[in-house]
Amino acid sequence: MDIHSVLLTEEELKIRDEAREFVKSIPPELIKKMDKEEIEFPYEFVQKAGERNLLGLRFPRKWGGREASWRCEVAVIEEVGVLGTALSCQYCLPTIVGEAISKFGTEEQKEKFLKPTLEGKKVCAEALTEPRGGSDFFGCTTVAKKDGDGYLLTGAKRFIVGGKGADYFLVYARTAPEAESHKSISVFIVEQERGVKVETVYGLLGTRGGGTARISFHNLWVPKENLVGEENAGAIIFNQMMLPERLTTAAGAVGMGRTAIEIAARYSIKRKAFGRPIRKFQAVSFKIADSLAKLDAARGLVYTAARVIDAGLPARRIVSEAKKFATEACWEAVNNAMQIMGGIGYTDIYPVERFLRDTRLSMIWTGTNEIMSALIQHEYYQELEEDLKKVRDVEKDAINADLEEEKVYE
Ligand SMILES: Cc1cc2nc3c(=O)[nH]c(=O)nc-3n(C[C@H](O)[C@H](O)[C@H](O)COP(=O)(O)OP(=O)(O)OC[C@H]3O[C@@H](n4cnc5c(N)ncnc54)[C@H](O)[C@@H]3O)c2cc1C
């Protein structure tokens, strides 16, 4: 059964199918060469996605989007997820960086950056993480000092996908060092050609071929036209951007886990041990069942989060839950797929070992899963008292609920 047929409209299903065709058209050679680090950056992938009008689907048509819903976008990203994190990251960056430009940028910025990005003609990257830490984002030490009609940028950013390869970076930098951290960071569009220095291109366990690098800025001049939103409004832009940042990771993870299980299930039909197909052993088939149940639950969370954003409701908790749960479900599914396949699963004869390397990252990037837990509980405690006013007071249903003297808290 195509579960998406009950989750998407006819129009959305068509776009999902277009994405499937696009994914089918990607040559295996590209994936292999990226994994072998024979390709530094997959420009042609981004160009092709742009030519097919598949980038940044939910943005206004004026800038090259299709005004699609988030639901549609997560369905498409699930499809792209089967290519692995290196390519799905490239697919998702325009939707992440685009969120900031589309929601907070000027018309000129949209014309100059968002439009060519969605056309696949300009490659974008996001530069948040610093060598001193990614989780403590608001501890940002990159600074931007006013200088005539612009700013002088100094600092470094680490683990930037497209650090080598991108045409421009969305950079967070401190513009009011003496102010409290949530009111002191601004966002800039920094074009590579202004003098962004590539310091180290990292050797990675997986997710290779995307130019992941440490980049630095040394008194790099950025015109004030490249400031996104208000000065010192970085916190608002960051919070908005983290929705696509994390929901895209979650949706991609569902696709990757799904495809790993498909490979393992097909293998389990053909592979025999003790004279029987291994799928006949519960130890094998139950791993398929457990993985499917978790991946379907993950998809449910991803879609719910998408609908919450589409409805314009606060989405931080549900998006964080989706990111944490889907990446852990994917990790478990890929690990199970490898176990089902035995020794051959550990080799590069099948792509499951690449998925295992890829999926490990999704629990770390776009905010670690520990940070997701921190956000989930924080949001929950904020909502708790308000929510309890609307529902039955179940505490009163205990037989001795009225023994108030037994309810001791300190
Ligand atoms: C391949 C790759 C690509 C990436 N791409 C990009 C990119 O394009 N752009 C970008 O800006 N960043 C990117 N990142 C950075 C990524 O988002 C960070 O690595 C991640 O946010 C964690 O930051 P950190 O590595 O500095 O770890 P740290 O922040 O040093 O965390 C280390 C450990 O401490 C834990 N920890 C820290 N604080 C807390 C807390 N308050 N509560 C509980 N646990 C905590 C973390 O969960 C983690 O386990 C990428 C990373 C990698 C590896």
Side-chain angles (χ1 to χ4, degrees):
M1 185 190 63
D2 182 359
I3 196 95
H4 292 101
S5 63
V6 295
L7 298 169
L8 301 175
T9 63
E10 282 294 312
E11 191 56 33
E12 289 167 342
L13 279 170
K14 273 193 206 138
I15 299 178
R16 191 279 311 262
D17 290 345
E18 265 183 63
R20 272 196 179 163
E21 287 310 311
F22 167 63
V23 166
K24 276 159 76 181
S25 79
I26 302 304
E29 271 322 301
L30 175 66
I31 296 171
K32 293 178 200 177
K33 282 189 176 162
M34 286 174 75
D35 200 28
K36 287 193 264 178
E37 294 180 319
E38 289 168 12
I39 286 181
E40 276 195 326
F41 195 85
Y43 291 105
E44 65 273 39
F45 172 82
V46 180
Q47 281 158 8
K48 275 189 192 157
E51 280 162 17
R52 292 189 184 219
N53 195 199
L54 283 170
L55 295 173
L57 290 168
R58 69 183 188 287
F59 296 128
R61 287 204 170 78
K62 184 175 176 192
W63 309 118
R66 298 205 198 178
E67 296 174 12
S69 64
W70 255 112
R71 264 190 336 271
C72 178
E73 204 161 314
V74 293
V76 165
I77 296 167
E78 179 179 332
E79 295 308 314
V80 179
V82 310
L83 298 169
T85 43
L87 286 177
S88 62
C89 174
Q90 292 308 329
Y91 178 79
C92 294
L93 273 167
T95 212
I96 299 168
V97 171
E99 179 83 1
I101 303 178
S102 167
K103 288 241 159 64
F104 301 94
T106 61
E107 292 293 286
E108 291 73 29
Q109 288 169 352
K110 289 173 195 172
E111 185 66 44
K112 190 170 170 193
F113 297 102
L114 183 60
K115 199 159 175 264
T117 301
L118 301 191
E119 287 168 347
K121 291 179 182 159
K122 255 191 187 155
V123 173
C124 63
E126 49 159 356
L128 289 84
T129 305
E130 297 190 344
R132 45 147 284 284
S135 305
D136 180 15
F137 166 77
F138 287 102
C140 168
T141 57
T142 296
V143 289
K145 277 193 190 145
K146 273 251 172 64
D147 181 68
D149 266 353
Y151 298 82
L152 281 176
L153 205 64
T154 300
K157 299 284 176 179
R158 178 154 90 160
F159 307 142
I160 307 309
V161 174
K164 189 159 189 196
D167 296 305
Y168 71 93
F169 301 87
L170 199 75
V171 179
Y172 285 75
R174 203 171 282 283
T175 32
E178 64 297 333
E180 67 168 275
S181 57
H182 285 68
K183 293 180 182 156
S184 68
I185 294 172
S186 302
V187 183
F188 298 92
I189 296 171
V190 180
E191 292 131 300
Q192 165 63 42
E193 65 208 16
R194 289 191 183 274
V196 176
K197 214 166 153 223
V198 181
E199 302 283 0
T200 307
V201 178
Y202 295 101
L204 303 173
L205 179 68
T207 321
R208 296 173 181 155
T212 303
R214 177 166 64 88
I215 55 173
S216 66
F217 325 102
H218 305 277
N219 279 327
L220 183 152
W221 193 76
V222 184
K224 70 175 187 324
E225 293 78 38
N226 284 20
L227 173 72
V228 181
E230 301 284 312
E231 199 178 273
N232 301 322
I236 301 165
I237 301 175
F238 171 79
N239 285 332
Q240 184 64 36
M241 245 178 95
M242 287 307 107
L243 300 178
E245 172 106 358
R246 291 165 182 161
L247 193 54
T248 55
T249 290
V254 174
M256 200 202 292
R258 185 192 87 192
T259 206
I261 286 300
E262 281 161 7
I263 293 169
R266 282 205 299 265
Y267 183 83
S268 73
I269 296 167
K270 292 185 255 178
R271 174 74 176 175
K272 288 191 176 141
F274 300 92
R276 313 162 70 189
I278 58 169
R279 67 161 288 206
K280 297 287 178 196
F281 300 114
Q282 275 190 359
V284 169
S285 61
F286 280 20
K287 282 192 180 65
I288 300 277
D290 291 348
S291 304
L292 288 178
K294 287 204 179 149
L295 288 169
D296 282 341
R299 185 185 294 104
L301 258 181
V302 166
Y303 269 84
T304 306
R307 292 190 78 125
V308 170
I309 307 180
D310 281 337
L313 297 169
R316 184 140 68 143
R317 175 174 150 208
I318 191 87
V319 165
S320 305
E321 288 172 2
K323 194 276 183 182
K324 180 179 158 71
F325 190 82
T327 55
E328 286 168 9
C330 177
W331 167 251
E332 209 176 306
V334 174
N335 198 29
N336 278 343
M338 185 174 276
Q339 196 67 21
I340 288 168
M341 297 180 74
I344 201 75
Y346 193 71
T347 72
D348 60 6
I349 305 297
Y350 287 92
V352 172
E353 60 83 30
R354 175 167 53 81
F355 291 144
L356 192 91
R357 291 185 278 118
D358 276 10
T359 183
R360 190 62 191 83
L361 176 64
S362 52
M363 296 188 285
I364 296 172
W365 73 1
T366 68
T368 64
N369 283 9
E370 291 77 22
I371 294 300
M372 293 309 103
S373 294
L375 290 169
I376 294 162
Q377 60 82 28
H378 176 266
E379 297 294 301
Y380 176 72
Y381 278 112
Q382 301 277 314
E383 296 157 19
L384 186 61
E385 287 308 320
E386 238 355 85
D387 285 353
L388 286 184
K389 284 183 204 150
K390 297 176 205 153
V391 293
R392 179 183 176 81
D393 184 357
V394 178
E395 286 191 21
K396 292 201 177 113
D397 297 341
I399 289 172
N400 279 316
D402 52 346
L403 291 183
E404 291 301 330
E405 67 274 23
E406 291 303 326
K407 295 181 180 171
V408 179
Y409 303 110
E410 285 183 28

PDB file of all heavy atoms in Angstrom, residues 234-265:
ATOM      1  N   GLY A 234      19.275  37.719  14.958  1.00  0.00           N
ATOM      2  CA  GLY A 234      19.707  36.363  14.592  1.00  0.00           C
ATOM      3  C   GLY A 234      18.943  35.265  15.317  1.00  0.00           C
ATOM      4  O   GLY A 234      18.698  34.197  14.749  1.00  0.00           O
ATOM      5  N   ALA A 235      18.553  35.522  16.575  1.00  0.00           N
ATOM      6  CA  ALA A 235      17.884  34.469  17.359  1.00  0.00           C
ATOM      7  C   ALA A 235      16.551  34.079  16.716  1.00  0.00           C
ATOM      8  O   ALA A 235      16.213  32.892  16.630  1.00  0.00           O
ATOM      9  CB  ALA A 235      17.664  34.946  18.787  1.00  0.00           C
ATOM     10  N   ILE A 236      15.822  35.079  16.249  1.00  0.00           N
ATOM     11  CA  ILE A 236      14.505  34.798  15.631  1.00  0.00           C
ATOM     12  C   ILE A 236      14.709  34.000  14.339  1.00  0.00           C
ATOM     13  O   ILE A 236      13.992  33.027  14.065  1.00  0.00           O
ATOM     14  CB  ILE A 236      13.765  36.116  15.304  1.00  0.00           C
ATOM     15  CG1 ILE A 236      13.571  36.925  16.579  1.00  0.00           C
ATOM     16  CG2 ILE A 236      12.433  35.856  14.614  1.00  0.00           C
ATOM     17  CD1 ILE A 236      13.192  38.376  16.326  1.00  0.00           C
ATOM     18  N   ILE A 237      15.715  34.410  13.569  1.00  0.00           N
ATOM     19  CA  ILE A 237      15.965  33.733  12.290  1.00  0.00           C
ATOM     20  C   ILE A 237      16.446  32.300  12.566  1.00  0.00           C
ATOM     21  O   ILE A 237      16.006  31.348  11.919  1.00  0.00           O
ATOM     22  CB  ILE A 237      16.997  34.528  11.451  1.00  0.00           C
ATOM     23  CG1 ILE A 237      16.458  35.935  11.197  1.00  0.00           C
ATOM     24  CG2 ILE A 237      17.317  33.801  10.142  1.00  0.00           C
ATOM     25  CD1 ILE A 237      17.404  36.870  10.478  1.00  0.00           C
ATOM     26  N   PHE A 238      17.321  32.160  13.551  1.00  0.00           N
ATOM     27  CA  PHE A 238      17.825  30.831  13.926  1.00  0.00           C
ATOM     28  C   PHE A 238      16.652  29.909  14.302  1.00  0.00           C
ATOM     29  O   PHE A 238      16.541  28.786  13.802  1.00  0.00           O
ATOM     30  CB  PHE A 238      18.804  30.969  15.099  1.00  0.00           C
ATOM     31  CG  PHE A 238      19.218  29.665  15.715  1.00  0.00           C
ATOM     32  CD1 PHE A 238      20.189  28.873  15.108  1.00  0.00           C
ATOM     33  CD2 PHE A 238      18.652  29.213  16.904  1.00  0.00           C
ATOM     34  CE1 PHE A 238      20.576  27.662  15.666  1.00  0.00           C
ATOM     35  CE2 PHE A 238      19.035  28.004  17.471  1.00  0.00           C
ATOM     36  CZ  PHE A 238      19.993  27.226  16.851  1.00  0.00           C
ATOM     37  N   ASN A 239      15.771  30.374  15.157  1.00  0.00           N
ATOM     38  CA  ASN A 239      14.657  29.529  15.609  1.00  0.00           C
ATOM     39  C   ASN A 239      13.754  29.129  14.450  1.00  0.00           C
ATOM     40  O   ASN A 239      13.250  28.011  14.400  1.00  0.00           O
ATOM     41  CB  ASN A 239      13.851  30.238  16.699  1.00  0.00           C
ATOM     42  CG  ASN A 239      14.606  30.227  18.020  1.00  0.00           C
ATOM     43  OD1 ASN A 239      15.403  29.319  18.290  1.00  0.00           O
ATOM     44  ND2 ASN A 239      14.398  31.245  18.841  1.00  0.00           N
ATOM     45  N   GLN A 240      13.569  30.038  13.508  1.00  0.00           N
ATOM     46  CA  GLN A 240      12.746  29.735  12.341  1.00  0.00           C
ATOM     47  C   GLN A 240      13.444  28.712  11.430  1.00  0.00           C
ATOM     48  O   GLN A 240      12.840  27.752  10.962  1.00  0.00           O
ATOM     49  CB  GLN A 240      12.467  31.039  11.573  1.00  0.00           C
ATOM     50  CG  GLN A 240      11.551  30.867  10.400  1.00  0.00           C
ATOM     51  CD  GLN A 240      10.150  30.418  10.812  1.00  0.00           C
ATOM     52  OE1 GLN A 240       9.640  30.840  11.852  1.00  0.00           O
ATOM     53  NE2 GLN A 240       9.553  29.541  10.024  1.00  0.00           N
ATOM     54  N   MET A 241      14.747  28.941  11.238  1.00  0.00           N
ATOM     55  CA  MET A 241      15.513  28.065  10.333  1.00  0.00           C
ATOM     56  C   MET A 241      15.645  26.645  10.867  1.00  0.00           C
ATOM     57  O   MET A 241      15.823  25.695  10.103  1.00  0.00           O
ATOM     58  CB  MET A 241      16.926  28.627  10.194  1.00  0.00           C
ATOM     59  CG  MET A 241      17.299  29.104   8.829  1.00  0.00           C
ATOM     60  SD  MET A 241      18.951  29.775   8.906  1.00  0.00           S
ATOM     61  CE  MET A 241      19.927  28.379   8.407  1.00  0.00           C
ATOM     62  N   MET A 242      15.603  26.523  12.207  1.00  0.00           N
ATOM     63  CA  MET A 242      15.792  25.188  12.785  1.00  0.00           C
ATOM     64  C   MET A 242      14.606  24.273  12.487  1.00  0.00           C
ATOM     65  O   MET A 242      14.722  23.055  12.610  1.00  0.00           O
ATOM     66  CB  MET A 242      16.042  25.274  14.296  1.00  0.00           C
ATOM     67  CG  MET A 242      17.415  25.795  14.656  1.00  0.00           C
ATOM     68  SD  MET A 242      18.786  24.892  13.863  1.00  0.00           S
ATOM     69  CE  MET A 242      19.330  26.053  12.635  1.00  0.00           C
ATOM     70  N   LEU A 243      13.470  24.828  12.078  1.00  0.00           N
ATOM     71  CA  LEU A 243      12.346  23.958  11.720  1.00  0.00           C
ATOM     72  C   LEU A 243      12.684  23.170  10.453  1.00  0.00           C
ATOM     73  O   LEU A 243      12.689  21.931  10.485  1.00  0.00           O
ATOM     74  CB  LEU A 243      11.045  24.751  11.584  1.00  0.00           C
ATOM     75  CG  LEU A 243      10.584  25.508  12.849  1.00  0.00           C
ATOM     76  CD1 LEU A 243       9.318  26.284  12.569  1.00  0.00           C
ATOM     77  CD2 LEU A 243      10.350  24.544  14.014  1.00  0.00           C
ATOM     78  N   PRO A 244      13.015  23.841   9.322  1.00  0.00           N
ATOM     79  CA  PRO A 244      13.415  23.046   8.153  1.00  0.00           C
ATOM     80  C   PRO A 244      14.703  22.269   8.380  1.00  0.00           C
ATOM     81  O   PRO A 244      14.852  21.143   7.892  1.00  0.00           O
ATOM     82  CB  PRO A 244      13.594  24.089   7.043  1.00  0.00           C
ATOM     83  CG  PRO A 244      13.670  25.404   7.709  1.00  0.00           C
ATOM     84  CD  PRO A 244      12.900  25.275   8.995  1.00  0.00           C
ATOM     85  N   GLU A 245      15.616  22.847   9.126  1.00  0.00           N
ATOM     86  CA  GLU A 245      16.895  22.171   9.396  1.00  0.00           C
ATOM     87  C   GLU A 245      16.644  20.764   9.963  1.00  0.00           C
ATOM     88  O   GLU A 245      17.221  19.776   9.532  1.00  0.00           O
ATOM     89  CB  GLU A 245      17.678  23.015  10.420  1.00  0.00           C
ATOM     90  CG  GLU A 245      18.925  22.368  10.945  1.00  0.00           C
ATOM     91  CD  GLU A 245      20.189  22.973  10.387  1.00  0.00           C
ATOM     92  OE1 GLU A 245      20.095  23.886   9.553  1.00  0.00           O
ATOM     93  OE2 GLU A 245      21.269  22.511  10.767  1.00  0.00           O
ATOM     94  N   ARG A 246      15.747  20.688  10.943  1.00  0.00           N
ATOM     95  CA  ARG A 246      15.557  19.420  11.659  1.00  0.00           C
ATOM     96  C   ARG A 246      14.498  18.538  11.011  1.00  0.00           C
ATOM     97  O   ARG A 246      14.645  17.309  10.992  1.00  0.00           O
ATOM     98  CB  ARG A 246      15.218  19.727  13.120  1.00  0.00           C
ATOM     99  CG  ARG A 246      16.434  20.304  13.804  1.00  0.00           C
ATOM    100  CD  ARG A 246      16.207  20.988  15.107  1.00  0.00           C
ATOM    101  NE  ARG A 246      17.484  21.516  15.589  1.00  0.00           N
ATOM    102  CZ  ARG A 246      17.621  22.466  16.503  1.00  0.00           C
ATOM    103  NH1 ARG A 246      16.556  23.007  17.064  1.00  0.00           N
ATOM    104  NH2 ARG A 246      18.818  22.870  16.868  1.00  0.00           N
ATOM    105  N   LEU A 247      13.482  19.152  10.465  1.00  0.00           N
ATOM    106  CA  LEU A 247      12.436  18.331   9.841  1.00  0.00           C
ATOM    107  C   LEU A 247      12.962  17.664   8.564  1.00  0.00           C
ATOM    108  O   LEU A 247      12.573  16.539   8.243  1.00  0.00           O
ATOM    109  CB  LEU A 247      11.187  19.177   9.555  1.00  0.00           C
ATOM    110  CG  LEU A 247       9.932  18.382   9.196  1.00  0.00           C
ATOM    111  CD1 LEU A 247       9.602  17.337  10.255  1.00  0.00           C
ATOM    112  CD2 LEU A 247       8.733  19.305   8.998  1.00  0.00           C
ATOM    113  N   THR A 248      13.855  18.329   7.851  1.00  0.00           N
ATOM    114  CA  THR A 248      14.420  17.717   6.646  1.00  0.00           C
ATOM    115  C   THR A 248      15.297  16.509   7.019  1.00  0.00           C
ATOM    116  O   THR A 248      15.243  15.477   6.347  1.00  0.00           O
ATOM    117  CB  THR A 248      15.236  18.731   5.810  1.00  0.00           C
ATOM    118  OG1 THR A 248      16.230  19.328   6.638  1.00  0.00           O
ATOM    119  CG2 THR A 248      14.362  19.803   5.207  1.00  0.00           C
ATOM    120  N   THR A 249      16.058  16.634   8.094  1.00  0.00           N
ATOM    121  CA  THR A 249      16.856  15.486   8.548  1.00  0.00           C
ATOM    122  C   THR A 249      15.942  14.316   8.893  1.00  0.00           C
ATOM    123  O   THR A 249      16.199  13.171   8.527  1.00  0.00           O
ATOM    124  CB  THR A 249      17.713  15.865   9.786  1.00  0.00           C
ATOM    125  OG1 THR A 249      18.740  16.758   9.366  1.00  0.00           O
ATOM    126  CG2 THR A 249      18.369  14.649  10.414  1.00  0.00           C
ATOM    127  N   ALA A 250      14.845  14.627   9.585  1.00  0.00           N
ATOM    128  CA  ALA A 250      13.907  13.578  10.000  1.00  0.00           C
ATOM    129  C   ALA A 250      13.300  12.879   8.780  1.00  0.00           C
ATOM    130  O   ALA A 250      13.252  11.648   8.706  1.00  0.00           O
ATOM    131  CB  ALA A 250      12.808  14.187  10.872  1.00  0.00           C
ATOM    132  N   ALA A 251      12.843  13.672   7.813  1.00  0.00           N
ATOM    133  CA  ALA A 251      12.178  13.093   6.632  1.00  0.00           C
ATOM    134  C   ALA A 251      13.156  12.247   5.816  1.00  0.00           C
ATOM    135  O   ALA A 251      12.813  11.154   5.349  1.00  0.00           O
ATOM    136  CB  ALA A 251      11.586  14.215   5.773  1.00  0.00           C
ATOM    137  N   GLY A 252      14.384  12.745   5.665  1.00  0.00           N
ATOM    138  CA  GLY A 252      15.401  11.994   4.918  1.00  0.00           C
ATOM    139  C   GLY A 252      15.717  10.666   5.603  1.00  0.00           C
ATOM    140  O   GLY A 252      15.923   9.639   4.947  1.00  0.00           O
ATOM    141  N   ALA A 253      15.721  10.690   6.938  1.00  0.00           N
ATOM    142  CA  ALA A 253      16.032   9.470   7.695  1.00  0.00           C
ATOM    143  C   ALA A 253      14.967   8.398   7.466  1.00  0.00           C
ATOM    144  O   ALA A 253      15.282   7.201   7.369  1.00  0.00           O
ATOM    145  CB  ALA A 253      16.144   9.797   9.188  1.00  0.00           C
ATOM    146  N   VAL A 254      13.712   8.806   7.347  1.00  0.00           N
ATOM    147  CA  VAL A 254      12.649   7.823   7.081  1.00  0.00           C
ATOM    148  C   VAL A 254      12.920   7.124   5.746  1.00  0.00           C
ATOM    149  O   VAL A 254      12.819   5.899   5.624  1.00  0.00           O
ATOM    150  CB  VAL A 254      11.247   8.498   7.074  1.00  0.00           C
ATOM    151  CG1 VAL A 254      10.172   7.507   6.653  1.00  0.00           C
ATOM    152  CG2 VAL A 254      10.927   9.072   8.444  1.00  0.00           C
ATOM    153  N   GLY A 255      13.310   7.911   4.749  1.00  0.00           N
ATOM    154  CA  GLY A 255      13.591   7.336   3.427  1.00  0.00           C
ATOM    155  C   GLY A 255      14.780   6.394   3.457  1.00  0.00           C
ATOM    156  O   GLY A 255      14.742   5.300   2.868  1.00  0.00           O
ATOM    157  N   MET A 256      15.822   6.809   4.154  1.00  0.00           N
ATOM    158  CA  MET A 256      17.022   5.964   4.190  1.00  0.00           C
ATOM    159  C   MET A 256      16.760   4.659   4.944  1.00  0.00           C
ATOM    160  O   MET A 256      17.163   3.571   4.495  1.00  0.00           O
ATOM    161  CB  MET A 256      18.183   6.713   4.861  1.00  0.00           C
ATOM    162  CG  MET A 256      19.523   6.117   4.516  1.00  0.00           C
ATOM    163  SD  MET A 256      20.772   6.519   5.706  1.00  0.00           S
ATOM    164  CE  MET A 256      20.936   8.241   5.437  1.00  0.00           C
ATOM    165  N   GLY A 257      16.070   4.737   6.054  1.00  0.00           N
ATOM    166  CA  GLY A 257      15.757   3.525   6.812  1.00  0.00           C
ATOM    167  C   GLY A 257      14.876   2.589   5.993  1.00  0.00           C
ATOM    168  O   GLY A 257      15.101   1.369   5.947  1.00  0.00           O
ATOM    169  N   ARG A 258      13.916   3.194   5.315  1.00  0.00           N
ATOM    170  CA  ARG A 258      12.985   2.417   4.481  1.00  0.00           C
ATOM    171  C   ARG A 258      13.741   1.634   3.413  1.00  0.00           C
ATOM    172  O   ARG A 258      13.530   0.439   3.217  1.00  0.00           O
ATOM    173  CB  ARG A 258      12.004   3.398   3.829  1.00  0.00           C
ATOM    174  CG  ARG A 258      10.904   2.793   3.021  1.00  0.00           C
ATOM    175  CD  ARG A 258      10.195   3.874   2.205  1.00  0.00           C
ATOM    176  NE  ARG A 258      10.849   4.107   0.937  1.00  0.00           N
ATOM    177  CZ  ARG A 258      10.596   5.129   0.120  1.00  0.00           C
ATOM    178  NH1 ARG A 258       9.730   6.060   0.466  1.00  0.00           N
ATOM    179  NH2 ARG A 258      11.227   5.242  -1.018  1.00  0.00           N
ATOM    180  N   THR A 259      14.660   2.295   2.736  1.00  0.00           N
ATOM    181  CA  THR A 259      15.354   1.643   1.633  1.00  0.00           C
ATOM    182  C   THR A 259      16.321   0.567   2.142  1.00  0.00           C
ATOM    183  O   THR A 259      16.491  -0.482   1.505  1.00  0.00           O
ATOM    184  CB  THR A 259      16.032   2.698   0.718  1.00  0.00           C
ATOM    185  OG1 THR A 259      16.154   2.170  -0.581  1.00  0.00           O
ATOM    186  CG2 THR A 259      17.380   3.143   1.208  1.00  0.00           C
ATOM    187  N   ALA A 260      16.920   0.793   3.303  1.00  0.00           N
ATOM    188  CA  ALA A 260      17.814  -0.223   3.875  1.00  0.00           C
ATOM    189  C   ALA A 260      17.025  -1.493   4.196  1.00  0.00           C
ATOM    190  O   ALA A 260      17.465  -2.618   3.926  1.00  0.00           O
ATOM    191  CB  ALA A 260      18.492   0.315   5.135  1.00  0.00           C
ATOM    192  N   ILE A 261      15.827  -1.307   4.733  1.00  0.00           N
ATOM    193  CA  ILE A 261      14.990  -2.467   5.074  1.00  0.00           C
ATOM    194  C   ILE A 261      14.517  -3.182   3.802  1.00  0.00           C
ATOM    195  O   ILE A 261      14.446  -4.415   3.750  1.00  0.00           O
ATOM    196  CB  ILE A 261      13.808  -2.037   5.976  1.00  0.00           C
ATOM    197  CG1 ILE A 261      14.335  -1.746   7.383  1.00  0.00           C
ATOM    198  CG2 ILE A 261      12.698  -3.084   6.036  1.00  0.00           C
ATOM    199  CD1 ILE A 261      15.022  -2.920   8.083  1.00  0.00           C
ATOM    200  N   GLU A 262      14.238  -2.406   2.747  1.00  0.00           N
ATOM    201  CA  GLU A 262      13.841  -3.038   1.476  1.00  0.00           C
ATOM    202  C   GLU A 262      14.957  -3.946   0.952  1.00  0.00           C
ATOM    203  O   GLU A 262      14.708  -5.062   0.494  1.00  0.00           O
ATOM    204  CB  GLU A 262      13.501  -1.970   0.426  1.00  0.00           C
ATOM    205  CG  GLU A 262      12.117  -1.366   0.607  1.00  0.00           C
ATOM    206  CD  GLU A 262      11.931  -0.024  -0.103  1.00  0.00           C
ATOM    207  OE1 GLU A 262      12.839   0.393  -0.861  1.00  0.00           O
ATOM    208  OE2 GLU A 262      10.888   0.607   0.132  1.00  0.00           O
ATOM    209  N   ILE A 263      16.178  -3.442   1.030  1.00  0.00           N
ATOM    210  CA  ILE A 263      17.324  -4.236   0.542  1.00  0.00           C
ATOM    211  C   ILE A 263      17.448  -5.528   1.370  1.00  0.00           C
ATOM    212  O   ILE A 263      17.598  -6.630   0.833  1.00  0.00           O
ATOM    213  CB  ILE A 263      18.632  -3.406   0.630  1.00  0.00           C
ATOM    214  CG1 ILE A 263      18.580  -2.228  -0.358  1.00  0.00           C
ATOM    215  CG2 ILE A 263      19.861  -4.279   0.367  1.00  0.00           C
ATOM    216  CD1 ILE A 263      19.687  -1.202  -0.163  1.00  0.00           C
ATOM    217  N   ALA A 264      17.347  -5.377   2.694  1.00  0.00           N
ATOM    218  CA  ALA A 264      17.508  -6.539   3.571  1.00  0.00           C
ATOM    219  C   ALA A 264      16.359  -7.538   3.392  1.00  0.00           C
ATOM    220  O   ALA A 264      16.571  -8.761   3.394  1.00  0.00           O
ATOM    221  CB  ALA A 264      17.585  -6.080   5.026  1.00  0.00           C
ATOM    222  N   ALA A 265      15.148  -7.029   3.206  1.00  0.00           N
ATOM    223  CA  ALA A 265      13.991  -7.925   3.049  1.00  0.00           C
ATOM    224  C   ALA A 265      14.117  -8.724   1.748  1.00  0.00           C
ATOM    225  O   ALA A 265      13.874  -9.941   1.727  1.00  0.00           O
ATOM    226  CB  ALA A 265      12.692  -7.115   3.066  1.00  0.00           C
TER     227      ALA A 265
END
